[in-house]
């Protein structure tokens, strides 16, 4: 949101003598306001608190959300550094860039050099707590989007400003450095997630229409930075793939122009508006809508609607796709709560009676914190726990090979096991011929017949992992040579299939 509107809407005008020319003094005075809580009395304290909170958030996440957090990031990074790990079909078609996995590959390399590569080593919105610290490319896209838009709006305010520096820049027709920083971050976001261009197309076009020096902006800023990032990422990807690959082009051709994402399921057009986004923002929704109306920041609100509409056109929809615009809804919620704080004390509430602000904060805490903790600590944690268990067993030499009789990519893989053992999962690579079922679908349709046809007596595997919901279908095939060794709780309710309440591990009797 613009600094101008924030200052105007926050309360009464400042005292005489405090204006735009003394922003630093006003900011200093504001930081030490006695009516603010100690932890919120300084921007540095807020930043430190936010960093500490997000670090604790990362440590508390113990559950499984989406295959991409492992298979499109950690698994690839593990293969780069340690030489083994599975590459899914997307990496064989050049649909993914190595830029995002390389970040985690660097961390793996540091752990390897230090011999630490062992498998043992604020107000909160439930979905942000649950998702943002995961290794999804959408999480990185969200961070880059928020950071880039911050610099973009700083650049806009700088151009509109009346300071001497702003006037000199306007006279020399120089763009503010923050805009170039925003464009660089935007290019990186698009390199990691090409669909991030949806956000930046809206932001860029609105300001491009009003610009006086359009050619300068386009050919001296956008094109050079875009070409530079594209050249670097194309070089990196071509080096890793072993041939020339332009990932953004392949990504857009598959997901947008050929609707390849529909292979993983489709939703109705209004899903993001009627179910997806409201579920993500949860009880913050009324506060966000009120904040939009009070702040009148229609451009930022329009960005949220624009992203939701464009993604609604695509058949395949997921919560994580619209994660980058979720923080802006919280900004509007915060604006609304701040407006309540300004009104605090002006009403004539009875002594001992809670104010609207206090009731609102209590409501948000009670409806988000328990859900955030449950989703992060318990829901769908069995697939994470089973891999940690197998990793410990492999370390002690009790695991020789593993078969996962479950929907493909249901668990982490080598990046968690961290032992180069033979493992097999049910493949779900999309077929070019429509109507042909993959292994995962064939198994779910008739587990017993599929196992007998493809794997025979299963004697080539020392351990078998499967969900309790499929266990009863293949129990007869397991009872002679295998026995249950561990059972891990997974979930209390189903997500998109039959209830997968537990993850079960079977081991060959001769192995024990």
């Amino acid at each position: 949101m613009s600094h101008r509107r924030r200052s105007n809407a926050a309360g009464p005008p400042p005292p005489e003598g405090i204006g735009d020319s003394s922003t630093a003094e006003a900011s200093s005075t504001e930081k030490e306001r006695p009516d603010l809580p100690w932890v919120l009395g300084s921007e540095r304290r807020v930043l430190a608190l936010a960093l500490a909170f997000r670090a604790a958030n990362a440590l508390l996440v113990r559950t499984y959300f989406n295959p991409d957090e492992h298979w499109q990031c950690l698994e690839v990074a593990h293969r780069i550094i340690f030489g083994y790990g599975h590459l899914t079909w997307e990496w064989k078609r050049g649909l993914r860039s190595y830029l995002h996995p390389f970040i985690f590959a660097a961390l793996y390399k540091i752990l390897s050099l230090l011999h630490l590569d062992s498998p043992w080593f604020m107000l909160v919105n439930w979905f942000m707590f649950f998702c943002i610290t995961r290794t999804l490319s959408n999480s990185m896209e969200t961070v880059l989007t928020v950071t880039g838009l911050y610099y973009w709006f700083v650049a806009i305010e700088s151009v509109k400003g009346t300071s001497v520096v702003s006037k000199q820049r306007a006279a020399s027709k120089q763009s503010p450095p923050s805009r170039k920083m925003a464009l660089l971050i935007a290019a990186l976001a698009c390199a990691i997630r090409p669909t991030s261009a949806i956000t930046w197309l809206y932001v860029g076009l609105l300001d491009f229409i009003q610009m006086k020096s359009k050619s300068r902006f386009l050919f001296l800023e956008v094109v050079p930075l875009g070409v530079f990032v594209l050249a670097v990422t194309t070089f990196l990807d071509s080096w890793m793939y072993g041939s020339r690959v332009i990932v953004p082009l392949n990504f857009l051709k598959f997901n947008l122009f050929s609707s390849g994402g529909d292979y993983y399921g489709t939703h109705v057009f209004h899903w993001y508006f009627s179910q997806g986004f409201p579920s993500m923002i949860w009880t913050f929704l009324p506060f966000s809508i009120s904040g939009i109306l009070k702040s009148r920041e229609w451009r930022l609100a329009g960005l949220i609607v624009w992203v939701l509409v464009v993604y609604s056109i695509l058949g395949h929809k997921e919560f994580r796709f619209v994660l980058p615009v979720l923080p802006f809804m919280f900004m509007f919620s915060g604006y609304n709560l701040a407006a309540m704080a300004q009104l605090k004390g002006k009403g004539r509430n009875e002594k001992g009676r809670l104010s609207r602000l206090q009731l609102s904060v209590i409501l948000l805490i009670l409806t988000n914190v328990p859900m955030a903790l449950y989703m992060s600590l318990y829901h769908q944690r069995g697939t994470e726990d089973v891999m940690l268990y197998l990793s410990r067993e492999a370390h002690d030499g009790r695991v020789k090979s593993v078969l996962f009789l479950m929907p493909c990519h249901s668990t982490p893989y080598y990046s968690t096991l961290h032992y180069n053992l033979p493992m097999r999962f049910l493949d779900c690579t999309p077929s070019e011929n429509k109507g042909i079922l993959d292994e995962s679908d064939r198994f779910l349709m008739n587990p017993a017949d599929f196992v007998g046809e493809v794997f025979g007596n299963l004697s080539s595997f020392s351990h078998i992992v499967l969900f309790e919901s499929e266990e009863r279908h293949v129990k007869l095939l397991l009872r002679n040579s295998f026995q249950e060794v561990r059972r891990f709780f997974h979930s209390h309710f189903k997500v998109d299939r039959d209830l997968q309440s537990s993850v079960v591990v079977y081991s060959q009797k001769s192995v024990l």
Side-chain angles (χ1 to χ4, degrees), residues 405 447-449 451-452 456-458 464 466 470-483 506 509:
L405 289 178
D449 289 350
V451 171
N457 60 6
L458 302 174
I464 295 177
L466 69 167
E470 280 80 46
E471 179 187 17
R472 65 182 182 273
H473 298 295
V474 297
K475 208 161 189 177
L476 290 176
L477 299 175
L478 299 174
R479 67 178 182 178
N480 293 328
S481 302
F482 290 83
Q483 70 178 35
Y506 280 85
K509 294 178 181 178

Side-chain angles (χ1 to χ4, degrees), residues 81-82 106-117:
I81 299 302
F82 299 106
L107 298 177
Y108 274 142
K109 187 63 178 178
I110 294 173
L111 292 175
S112 177
L113 294 173
L114 297 176
H115 302 290
L116 295 176
D117 54 316

Side-chain angles (χ1 to χ4, degrees), residues 404-507:
F404 297 89
L405 289 178
M406 52 208 327
C408 69
H409 307 148
S410 292
T411 69
Y413 214 50
Y414 284 109
S415 59
T416 299
L417 186 77
H418 198 47
Y419 285 95
N420 195 7
L421 301 174
M423 295 200 294
R424 172 78 154 84
F425 67 94
L426 304 182
D427 183 60
C428 59
T429 302
S431 173
E432 295 182 358
N433 301 319
K434 293 184 178 180
I436 297 180
L437 298 178
D438 57 42
E439 288 186 347
S440 183
D441 288 333
R442 288 165 56 199
F443 170 73
L444 292 175
M445 288 183 65
N446 197 327
D449 289 350
F450 174 82
V451 171
E453 175 187 341
V454 177
F455 301 108
N457 60 6
L458 302 174
S459 59
S460 59
F461 300 98
S462 67
H463 288 72
I464 295 177
V465 181
L466 69 167
F467 284 117
E468 183 180 308
S469 56
E470 280 80 46
E471 179 187 17
R472 65 182 182 273
H473 298 295
V474 297
K475 208 161 189 177
L476 290 176
L477 299 175
L478 299 174
R479 67 178 182 178
N480 293 328
S481 302
F482 290 83
Q483 70 178 35
E484 178 185 331
V485 290
R486 286 298 297 269
R487 186 175 294 263
F488 298 93
F489 165 77
H490 186 61
S491 65
H492 289 111
F493 55 91
K494 65 179 182 180
V495 179
D496 56 355
R497 298 184 178 93
D498 292 337
L499 175 61
Q500 300 167 335
S501 56
S502 300
V503 178
V504 191
V505 183
Y506 280 85
S507 174

